[in-house]
Amino acid sequence: AAADDRRRRMMQATLLAPPEKLHVLVAEQDRRVVGALTYADSPACTAVTGLQARTYLRVYGRRAPAMARGAIAILRMHPRTPHRHLPMVGVDPGCQGQGIGGLLLAEYTRRCDEAGLAGYLETVRYTEPGRPSHERLYGRHGFHVEHAAALDPEWSLLGMMRPVGGAVPRNG
């Protein structure tokens, strides 16, 4: 319950971004919002407002120093080239597994391609095999791991990129 409340408050903090820089896609079922995805174009995607920073501090409390280390890792892996950053996607827990997240991602990647911008996001990879990861879902939409930062023994932060058109670069 505490983790769900923390995620809800983080989503609210993300939505505190100035409206001229944040775009929101919404999925509805029976006139009820069941999913949302936010994105912002570089370079505006990296700035955090004072209100957002204060909200993050309230949300994390004593965990704020650890989260600050995560924020520094995010800044280091953040692309320096033009891109469209996807900071948040979420689906109502009762509606997960119905393809709603995939539909939101498909619309996001369509908009990236239309604008001629690469897509970028951060996600978590857990070391415990049974923990869910969104890495495969993002991979199905053309994203590949560009950077990984082990911030905790239990998880790593991944920076994932999607080139325009979704073609995954090949090594070698």
Side-chain angles (χ1 to χ4, degrees), residues 141-157:
H141 289 272
F143 286 88
H144 64 276
V145 176
E146 189 83 7
H147 302 283
L151 299 178
D152 186 275
E154 296 181 12
W155 58 275
S156 294
L157 184 67

Side-chain angles (χ1 to χ4, degrees), residues 109 112-113 117-119 139-144 161-169:
T109 58
C112 287
D113 293 345
L117 291 170
R140 287 194 299 269
H141 289 272
F143 286 88
H144 64 276
M161 292 291 298
R162 177 190 181 273
V164 176
V168 177

Side-chain angles (χ1 to χ4, degrees), residues 25-107:
L25 301 177
V26 175
E28 295 180 273
Q29 276 183 349
D30 301 321
R31 297 175 53 160
R32 185 173 71 89
V33 174
V34 295
L37 178 149
T38 63
Y39 67 89
D41 294 345
S42 63
C45 62
T46 57
V48 174
T49 67
L51 180 57
Q52 284 177 304
R54 288 189 299 279
T55 303
Y56 293 145
L57 287 173
R58 279 196 313 272
V59 169
Y60 286 111
R62 61 181 167 68
R63 295 177 55 208
M67 296 317 295
R69 286 190 299 278
I72 291 168
I74 288 171
L75 288 173
R76 285 186 180 142
M77 66 175 65
H78 201 91
R80 306 290 186 258
T81 56
H83 63 280
R84 183 161 276 175
H85 186 173
L86 188 166
M88 190 271 307
V89 60
V91 175
D92 182 299
C95 298
Q96 291 176 355
Q98 299 177 22
I100 295 167
L103 289 172
L104 288 166
L105 284 166
E107 178 59 18

